[in-house]
DNA sequence: AAACAGTGCAACCGCTCTGAC
DNA sequence: TGTCAGAGCGGTTGCACTGTT
């Protein structure tokens, strides 16, 4: 529209990394005059930078409320959740992450989360499971594959992908004891030996689990899987927990005190952007352990389905290495 | 120890959109 | 209605750091 460019390249304005002196000038000027009028700001502040560069430097780095350092896992969860709802609206996501900038979130997404989702077989754009992307061999051969990591996976993986993993994991039931109550009380699960790829191939998996086309309605899928699934429930994930976590009557070697999973959610609609408040109660039939998972965010509700619960209790208690492991 | 490749991140670029005037 | 400044976005670049060979 005939608009003059922000930065006139012919003027030889400085580019590249900011020096501490420049940062100080910009900070002092904004502290005195406040941000705004970026076009004239550099000249008034004695900076040989274009206004846009000053604005970006201020908003992305110098602003006093910027929180620097690594993203917490809660922040990662939040980003994934919000991205599933908002897409690449980084500023909207940043608005819900105090102290984080859109640029920082975008970079973090592209360099960390996106790669992780791809490794886990999740399409980072649609948040749908993509088994053609899933690196099953590395996932399942990991010596750290265990129940708790799968539960943690649940916070990031579309449950349908997780269901597949759980199906695969169930092939270990004949040889491995999943966990015992002591470990449960300590929120730790025993390490399950690596699954050989032969087992994966031989594992009976419903054919509709093998293609992304089996998830025509993601929100429906998520709702069905993540809402309530006590043992004996007819929903698919409930079946999985029943089939895989409860010992079968024919396998008496397995523990009988496997907890049932009872999820209760109190949630506000996602359309109300103010809150992802929800809680999850995890109850054990033998320990009556109740863990609260308030303020966790999870999964990919693309519709008006309620925000989904998370096993954040496990996540929060996990180590950095464990988090990186998936 | 040196060379190389991979990674993470700050910063930039070019463009569009929005709201004020 | 057109112009402009600011904001936002996707993509990219450059560089420092780290791991591998």
């Amino acid at each position: 529209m005939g608009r003059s460019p922000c930065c006139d390249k012919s003027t030889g304005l400085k580019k590249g990394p900011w020096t501490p002196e420049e940062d100080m000038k910009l900070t002092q000027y904004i502290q005195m005059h406040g941000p705004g009028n970026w076009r004239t700001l550099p000249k008034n502040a004695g900076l040989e930078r274009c206004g846009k560069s000053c604005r970006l430097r201020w908003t992305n780095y110098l602003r006093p409320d910027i929180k620097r350092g690594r993203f917490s896992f809660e922040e990662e969860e939040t980003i994934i959740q919000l991205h599933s709802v908002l897409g690449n609206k980084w500023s909207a996501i940043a608005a819900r992450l105090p102290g984080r900038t859109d640029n920082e979130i975008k970079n973090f997404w592209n360099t960390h989360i996106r790669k992780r989702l791809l490794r886990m077989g999740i399409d980072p754009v649609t948040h749908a499971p993509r088994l053609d992307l899933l690196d099953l061999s590395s996932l399942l051969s990991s010596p750290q594959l265990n129940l708790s990591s799968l539960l943690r996976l649940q916070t990031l993986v579309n449950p349908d992908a997780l269901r597949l993993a759980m199906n695969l994991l169930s092939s270990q039931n004949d040889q491995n004891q999943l966990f015992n109550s002591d470990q449960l009380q300590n929120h730790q699960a025993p390490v399950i030996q690596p699954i050989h790829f032969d087992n994966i191939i031989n594992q009976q998996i419903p054919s509709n689990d093998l293609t992304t086309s089996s998830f025509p309605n993601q929100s429906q899928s998520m709702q069905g899987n993540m809402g309530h699934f006590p043992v004996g429930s007819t929903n698919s994930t409930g079946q999985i927990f029943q089939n895989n976590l409860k010992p079968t009557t024919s396998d008496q070697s397995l523990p009988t005190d496997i907890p049932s999973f009872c999820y209760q959610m109190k949630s506000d609609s996602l359309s109300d952007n103010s809150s992802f408040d929800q809680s999850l109660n995890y109850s054990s039939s033998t320990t009556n352990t109740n863990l609260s998972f308030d303020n966790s965010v999870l999964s990919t509700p693309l519709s008006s389905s309620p925000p989904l619960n998370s096993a954040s209790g496990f996540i929060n208690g996990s180590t950095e290495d464990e988090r990186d492991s998936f």
Side-chain angles (χ1 to χ4, degrees):
Chain A
M1 287 199 293
R3 177 185 158 188
S4 62
C6 167
C7 305
D8 189 346
K9 296 186 176 88
S10 65
T11 58
L13 292 175
K14 188 177 177 189
K15 294 194 295 185
W18 281 65
T19 65
E21 290 75 21
E22 288 177 312
D23 284 345
M24 194 174 64
K25 280 183 182 178
L26 181 58
T27 303
Q28 286 180 348
Y29 182 87
I30 291 177
Q31 282 173 349
M32 288 178 64
H33 302 92
N37 201 356
W38 296 105
R39 184 155 292 212
T40 59
L41 184 148
K43 188 177 179 180
N44 294 335
L47 290 164
E48 294 181 357
R49 296 272 184 175
C50 74
K52 186 176 182 177
S53 179
C54 294
R55 179 173 59 84
L56 288 174
R57 181 64 177 174
W58 173 256
T59 56
N60 289 335
Y61 199 85
L62 296 177
R63 239 172 45 201
D65 57 332
I66 293 288
K67 186 203 295 184
R68 309 213 66 80
R70 292 191 61 171
F71 281 77
S72 68
F73 198 75
E74 289 72 23
E75 287 177 310
E76 289 186 40
E77 275 190 273
T78 303
I79 291 169
I80 294 169
Q81 172 73 35
L82 290 172
H83 185 273
S84 73
V85 178
L86 300 170
N88 289 344
K89 300 202 177 304
W90 305 115
S91 62
I93 295 172
R96 289 161 177 79
L97 283 167
R100 301 296 188 181
T101 68
D102 55 350
N103 196 48
E104 189 178 18
I105 293 170
K106 180 182 70 176
N107 282 333
F108 185 68
W109 177 271
N110 287 329
T111 57
H112 291 94
I113 300 177
R114 189 173 175 276
K115 290 176 185 174
R116 180 186 299 172
L117 291 180
L118 285 171
R119 275 203 305 270
M120 290 160 51
I122 307 296
D123 188 324
V125 177
T126 65
H127 291 249
R130 288 274 304 275
L131 292 183
D132 54 323
L133 300 175
L134 181 60
D135 187 358
L136 280 173
S137 58
S138 66
L139 174 68
L140 295 174
S141 65
S142 165
Q144 293 179 318
L145 176 66
N146 54 35
L147 178 64
S148 65
S149 62
L150 281 176
L151 287 172
R152 274 181 272 119
L153 272 175
Q154 184 183 330
T155 70
L156 296 173
V157 180
N158 185 302
D160 291 299
L162 179 59
R163 181 174 44 177
L164 170 62
M166 294 295 281
N167 270 324
L168 299 174
L169 180 61
S170 72
S171 67
Q172 298 293 295
N173 279 355
D174 295 340
Q175 300 144 12
N176 298 291
Q177 180 172 315
L178 287 176
F179 47 74
N180 59 43
S181 58
D182 288 340
Q183 286 165 316
L184 257 181
Q185 286 176 343
N186 293 330
H187 309 303
Q188 293 173 336
V191 171
I192 294 174
Q193 295 304 308
I195 299 172
H196 296 293
F197 206 72
D198 289 345
N199 293 354
I200 298 171
I201 295 171
N202 294 331
Q203 178 70 29
Q204 287 193 343
I205 301 168
S207 59
N208 63 355
D209 278 339
L210 294 175
T211 64
T212 54
S213 63
S214 67
F215 312 107
N217 183 334
Q218 189 186 11
S219 61
Q220 183 183 29
S221 167
M222 307 294 281
Q223 238 175 337
N225 284 320
M226 303 299 291
H228 304 270
F229 39 87
V231 168
S233 154
T234 57
N235 84 30
S236 57
T237 304
Q239 290 283 0
I240 286 166
F241 277 97
Q242 181 174 29
N243 293 342
N244 296 301
L245 299 185
K246 292 287 281 185
T248 62
T249 53
S250 61
D251 187 354
Q252 300 301 321
S253 66
L254 290 172
T256 58
D257 58 348
I258 307 302
S260 61
F261 286 80
C262 179
Y263 290 82
Q264 297 175 342
M265 292 194 299
K266 61 180 180 68
S267 62
D268 297 323
S269 166
L270 264 185
S271 60
D272 174 8
N273 292 329
S274 64
S275 173
F276 294 101
D277 180 25
Q278 54 197 293
S279 67
L280 178 151
N281 289 328
Y282 167 95
S283 64
S284 163
S285 60
T286 56
T287 63
N288 285 329
T289 304
N290 284 320
L291 302 175
S292 176
F293 301 103
D294 286 344
N295 296 324
S296 74
V297 288
L298 161 74
S299 194
T300 61
L302 295 173
S303 70
S304 59
S305 58
L308 303 168
N309 48 36
S310 148
S312 297
F314 290 100
I315 295 165
N316 294 339
S318 64
T319 67
E320 198 73 28
D321 287 343
E322 286 171 336
R323 286 166 42 186
D324 290 340
S325 70
F326 65 93

